[in-house]
C-alpha cells in the first residue's frame, strides 16, 4: 500500500511540475518573489532541476513497476564510451563543477525521455490529451497577458515597450522557442479529437490564429525559416498524408499574418497612435557569424575533449552559447563525443522512417497517423531552429525537446513491439546510474542555491565572462 501511494504521489508531483514549467512559467513566475529573489530564467531553471530530480528518483525507486526501452549491446557500449568522454571533458574544463551540471542535466533529461516513452506505452491516449491540454493552457495564459496589454494600449493610446506585453521570459527569443515547440501538437485536437460541442473547433482555430499573431509581432526570422523548412521536409516525407496537417498550418499562418497587419498596422494608423515602442527587429546576422567563427576556432584548438560542457560562456565575451547546437556540441564536448551524439540522432531518424512511413501509416487510425506526422514535424523543425538559437540551452526548450523525443520513442516501440511484450529492465548498472546522476546534479548545483538562500547580493552568479543566461542568468554588477 505504501509503495502504491508513494508511486501515485510521485506521478502526481511529476505532472504538477510539468504543468508548472510548461503551462504556467511561460507567463508567470512560478517561484514567488518573496521565496527567492530570482529572475524568470532562474525560476524556470529551478523548476526544471526539481522536475528532473523527481524523474530520476522515480527511475531509482519504482523501476520494477514500469516498462522501459531495451537497447542492444552495441548501443549500450557506445553509451558507455560517450559517458566516459563527457566525464573526461568535464574534468578538463575550467570549472569542472559547472561542466558536471550540464552533463548530469542531460543525463537526467534522457531519463525524462525514457519516462515519457514508458508513459506513452502504458496509456498513450491519456498522455497525449494531458500534454495537449497543458500546452493549450499555457498558450491561453500567454495570450491573455498579450491581448490585455494590446487592448489597453490601443484604447488608452499608451504604447507599451517592446516586446511587452509578452511575459514569462527574460528574452523574447526564448518565448519564440516555446511557441515553435507547441505549434504542432496543439493542432492534434482539430485533426483527431471528438468534440461534443460543435463550436469547439472554431475556438481552437481562433486560438491558433491569435498565436500566430504573437509570433509575427515578435518578428522572429529564425522561427519562420525553421517552420518553413519543417513543413517542406514533412511534406516530402509524408506527402499526401501530411496534407491535412500542412493545410491547417497554411490557413493559420495566412490568417495570422492578415490579423497581425490589421491589429498592428491598420488600427494604429487609423487611431494615429502606436501600440508598441522600440523594436528588436535586426537587419544583420553579424553577431551569429562572430559566435560561429569563434566556435570553429575553439573546435580546432580543442578537437578531442572540447572546452568542457557549458564552457563557451567562459571563452566568449559576447554570448554564453554559440546559437548553434551542432557547433556547441562539437566545441564543448569534443569531436568524438559529438560524432557519437550525431550518430545516435541519425540512427534514430533512420529507424523512425523505416518503420513509420507512408506505407505503414496508411493502416493507422487518423489519430495515430496525425500524431506521427506532428511528432516528426516538431522535432525536425526545432532541430532546424537549434542551428540559429539556443534551443538546447534553455530550460523549457530542454524539457520540450526530451518530451517529444520520449513521445517518438514511445510511439515507435508501441507500433513495432508485440502486444504482449513487456520491455525488460536493464542491469544493475542501469539501476545505479540514475542514482549517480541525481547525486552529481544535486552536489553541482548546490553552491548557487545556497548562495541565493543566504541572501548574497550576487544571487546565482557563476563568474563567466559572457553576457546572458546559460545554466543561470548570470548576474552582472
Amino acid at each position: 500500500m505504501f509503495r502504491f501511494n508513494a508511486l501515485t504521489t510521485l506521478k502526481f508531483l511529476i505532472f504538477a511540475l510539468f504543468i508548472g514549467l510548461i503551462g504556467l512559467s511561460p507567463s508567470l513566475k512560478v517561484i514567488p518573489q518573496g521565496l527567492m529573489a530570482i529572475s524568470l530564467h532562474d525560476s524556470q531553471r529551478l523548476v526544471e532541476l526539481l522536475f528532473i530530480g523527481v524523474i530520476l528518483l522515480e527511475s531509482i525507486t519504482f523501476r520494477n513497476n514500469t516498462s522501459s526501452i531495451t537497447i542492444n549491446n552495441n548501443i549500450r557500449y557506445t553509451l558507455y564510451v560517450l559517458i566516459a568522454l563527457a566525464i573526461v571533458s568535464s574534468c578538463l574544463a575550467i570549472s569542472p563543477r559547472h561542466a558536471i551540471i550540464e552533463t548530469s542535466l542531460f543525463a537526467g533529461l534522457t531519463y525524462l525521455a525514457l519516462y515519457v516513452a514508458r508513459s506513452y506505452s502504458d496509456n498513450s491516449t491519456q498522455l497525449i490529451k494531458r500534454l495537449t491540454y497543458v500546452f493549450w493552457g499555457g498558450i491561453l495564459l500567454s495570450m491573455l497577458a498579450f491581448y490585455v496589454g494590446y487592448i489597453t494600449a490601443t484604447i488608452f493610446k499608451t504604447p507599451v515597450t517592446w516586446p511587452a506585453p509578452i511575459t514569462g521570459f527574460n528574452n523574447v527569443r526564448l518565448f519564440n522557442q516555446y511557441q515553435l515547440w507547441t505549434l504542432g501538437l496543439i493542432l492534434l485536437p482539430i485533426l483527431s479529437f471528438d468534440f461534443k460541442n460543435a463550436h469547439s473547433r472554431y475556438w481552437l482555430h481562433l486560438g491558433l490564429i491569435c498565436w500566430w499573431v504573437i509570433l509575427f509581432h515578435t518578428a522572429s526570422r529564425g522561427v519562420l525559416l525553421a517552420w518553413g523548412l519543417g513543413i517542406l521536409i514533412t511534406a516530402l516525407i509524408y506527402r499526401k498524408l501530411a496534407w491535412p496537417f500542412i493545410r491547417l498550418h497554411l490557413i493559420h499562418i495566412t490568417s495570422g499574418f492578415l490579423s497581425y497587419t490589421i491589429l498592428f498596422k491598420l488600427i494604429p494608423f487609423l487611431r494615429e497612435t502606436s501600440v508598441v515602442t522600440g523594436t528588436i527587429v535586426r537587419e544583420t546576422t553579424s553577431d551569429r557569424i562572430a559566435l560561429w567563427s569563434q566556435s570553429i576556432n575553439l573546435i580546432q584548438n580543442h578537437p578531442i575533449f572540447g572546452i568542457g560542457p557549458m564552457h563557451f560562456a567562459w571563452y566568449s565575451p559576447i554570448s554564453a552559447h554559440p546559437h548553434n547546437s551542432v557547433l556547441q556540441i562539437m566545441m564543448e564536448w569534443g569531436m568524438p563525443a559529438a560524432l557519437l551524439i550525431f550518430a545516435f540522432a541519425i540512427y534514430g531518424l533512420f529507424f523512425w522512417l523505416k518503420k513509420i512511413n507512408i506505407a505503414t501509416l496508411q493502416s493507422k487510425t487518423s489519430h495515430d497517423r496525425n500524431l506521427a506526422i506532428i511528432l516528426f514535424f516538431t522535432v525536425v523543425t526545432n532541430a532546424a531552429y537549434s542551428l540559429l538559437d539556443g534551443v538546447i540551452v534553455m530550460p523549457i526548450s530542454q524539457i520540450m525537446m526530451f518530451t517529444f523525443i520520449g513521445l517518438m520513442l514511445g510511439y515507435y516501440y508501441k507500433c513495432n513491439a508485440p502486444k504482449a511484450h513487456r520491455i525488460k529492465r536493464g542491469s544493475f548498472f542501469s539501476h545505479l546510474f540514475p542514482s549517480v546522476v541525481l547525486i552529481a546534479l544535486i552536489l553541482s548545483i548546490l553552491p548557487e542555491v545556497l548562495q541565493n538562500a543566504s541572501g548574497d547580493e550576487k544571487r546565482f552568479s557563476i563568474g563567466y565572462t559572457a553576457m546572458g543566461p546559460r545554466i543561470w542568468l548570470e548576474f552582472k554588477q
Side-chain angles (χ1 to χ4, degrees):
M1 177 64 72
F2 171 78
R3 185 179 180 84
F4 173 77
N5 290 337
L7 177 60
T8 303
T9 302
L10 257 184
K11 286 186 175 180
F12 173 79
L13 183 58
I14 288 170
F15 189 65
L17 288 170
F18 187 86
I19 290 176
L21 187 60
I22 303 302
L24 299 179
S25 69
S27 55
L28 304 169
K29 182 182 283 189
V30 293
I31 297 179
Q33 186 71 22
L35 185 62
M36 298 184 86
I38 57 177
S39 66
L40 293 165
H41 174 86
D42 291 344
S43 174
Q44 292 169 359
R45 182 69 76 190
L46 283 173
V47 177
E48 179 198 23
L49 292 169
L50 182 58
F51 181 49
I52 295 302
V54 175
I55 290 288
L56 289 167
L57 188 61
E58 190 272 345
S59 299
I60 296 164
T61 311
F62 299 104
R63 311 164 27 79
N64 296 326
N65 283 5
T66 56
S67 59
S68 69
I69 305 299
T70 52
I71 55 177
N72 62 44
N73 287 332
N74 289 333
I75 298 178
R76 189 185 303 276
Y77 297 143
T78 304
L79 282 172
Y80 294 164
V81 173
L82 179 59
I83 292 168
L85 289 170
I87 292 172
V88 174
S89 178
S90 299
C91 292
L92 295 176
I94 293 174
S95 177
R97 178 173 68 84
H98 290 101
I100 290 172
I101 292 178
E102 181 136 316
T103 53
S104 57
L105 175 58
F106 274 95
L109 286 165
T110 302
Y111 278 94
L112 168 61
L114 295 176
Y115 172 82
V116 172
R118 299 196 307 268
S119 300
Y120 186 94
S121 177
D122 292 338
N123 194 329
S124 59
T125 302
Q126 183 184 67
L127 177 64
I128 293 300
K129 283 188 174 181
R130 284 182 174 180
L131 291 178
T132 304
Y133 295 153
V134 170
F135 282 14
W136 266 112
I139 287 169
L140 290 174
L141 284 175
S142 296
M143 289 197 298
L144 177 65
F146 179 85
Y147 285 104
V148 167
Y150 170 82
I151 292 170
T152 302
T154 303
I155 292 175
F156 296 101
K157 295 186 177 182
T158 54
V160 293
T161 302
W162 188 283
I166 294 171
T167 59
F169 294 87
N170 292 95
N171 187 299
V172 71
R173 294 297 166 238
L174 311 186
F175 176 77
N176 291 145
Q177 294 176 17
Y178 172 69
Q179 281 191 294
L180 193 58
W181 280 113
T182 63
L183 281 177
L185 194 61
I186 58 177
L187 276 178
L188 188 62
I190 298 176
L191 291 166
S192 304
F193 286 13
D194 292 325
F195 293 102
K196 294 180 181 179
N197 187 340
H199 299 291
S200 297
R201 277 189 172 82
Y202 295 109
W203 286 109
L204 291 176
H205 283 298
L206 179 61
L208 281 157
I209 292 170
C210 292
W211 198 225
W212 274 104
V213 168
I214 301 177
L215 197 151
F216 283 113
H217 166 71
T218 60
S220 175
R221 297 170 296 172
V223 166
L224 292 174
L225 181 62
W227 173 85
L229 185 61
I231 287 290
L232 179 61
I233 293 174
T234 303
L236 291 174
I237 296 297
Y238 291 108
R239 300 178 189 177
K240 64 179 182 180
L241 295 183
W243 175 241
F245 171 75
I246 293 173
R247 181 175 62 86
L248 284 178
H249 264 284
L250 295 176
I251 291 172
H252 293 143
I253 191 173
T254 303
S255 302
F257 179 74
L258 292 174
S259 300
Y260 164 77
T261 303
I262 294 171
L263 292 174
F264 287 91
K265 302 297 182 182
L266 180 59
I267 291 178
F269 173 77
L270 294 176
R271 290 187 57 80
E272 298 181 346
T273 186
S274 298
V275 178
V276 295
T277 58
T279 180
I280 55 172
V281 179
R282 293 174 301 180
E283 300 297 332
T284 68
T285 57
S286 59
D287 58 335
R288 294 291 194 275
I289 294 173
L291 291 171
W292 297 344
S293 297
Q294 185 182 12
S295 299
I296 293 171
N297 289 333
L298 288 171
I299 292 169
Q300 292 172 342
N301 294 330
H302 305 269
I304 306 302
F305 296 111
I307 61 175
M310 204 173 78
H311 268 65
F312 186 71
W314 272 264
Y315 287 80
S316 172
I318 306 173
S319 175
H321 58 90
H323 293 74
N324 184 294
S325 57
V326 172
L327 291 177
Q328 180 178 320
I329 294 170
M330 291 192 297
M331 167 191 50
E332 295 188 338
W333 294 65
M335 288 300 295
L339 291 175
L340 292 179
I341 293 170
F342 301 151
F344 278 126
I346 295 170
Y347 178 86
L349 180 62
F350 171 78
F351 275 94
W352 173 272
L353 295 178
K354 182 179 179 181
K355 297 293 185 179
I356 302 171
N357 49 49
I358 294 177
T360 58
L361 288 181
Q362 293 282 2
S363 60
K364 299 293 182 184
T365 63
S366 173
H367 177 275
D368 287 345
R369 185 164 58 246
N370 285 309
L371 178 59
I373 292 168
I374 285 170
L375 294 178
F376 177 82
F377 163 82
T378 302
V379 171
V380 168
T381 301
N382 284 275
Y385 190 45
S386 75
L387 300 177
L388 302 170
D389 203 2
V391 173
I392 67 171
V393 171
M394 301 308 162
I396 290 183
S397 287
Q398 288 177 343
I399 294 296
M400 291 285 220
M401 175 171 55
F402 282 85
T403 296
F404 275 98
I405 291 172
L407 289 173
M408 292 185 80
L409 280 171
Y411 188 100
Y412 177 88
Y413 275 88
K414 192 168 185 178
C415 288
N416 295 286
K419 291 184 178 180
H421 181 59
R422 293 296 291 177
I423 306 169
K424 299 177 182 178
R425 282 291 181 181
S427 63
F428 175 74
F429 180 81
S430 66
H431 177 72
L432 177 65
F433 189 65
S435 303
V436 174
V437 172
L438 180 59
I439 293 170
L441 187 62
I442 292 172
L443 293 179
S444 58
I445 66 171
L446 202 56
E448 280 87 27
V449 175
L450 293 177
Q451 178 179 273
N452 182 279
S454 69
D456 189 296
E457 65 175 357
K458 288 188 176 181
R459 302 303 176 188
F460 286 97
S461 178
I462 295 176
Y464 55 67
T465 59
M467 297 177 61
R470 190 61 193 260
I471 183 70
W472 310 114
L473 183 63
E474 174 67 352
F475 176 86
K476 300 293 183 185
Q477 295 191 15

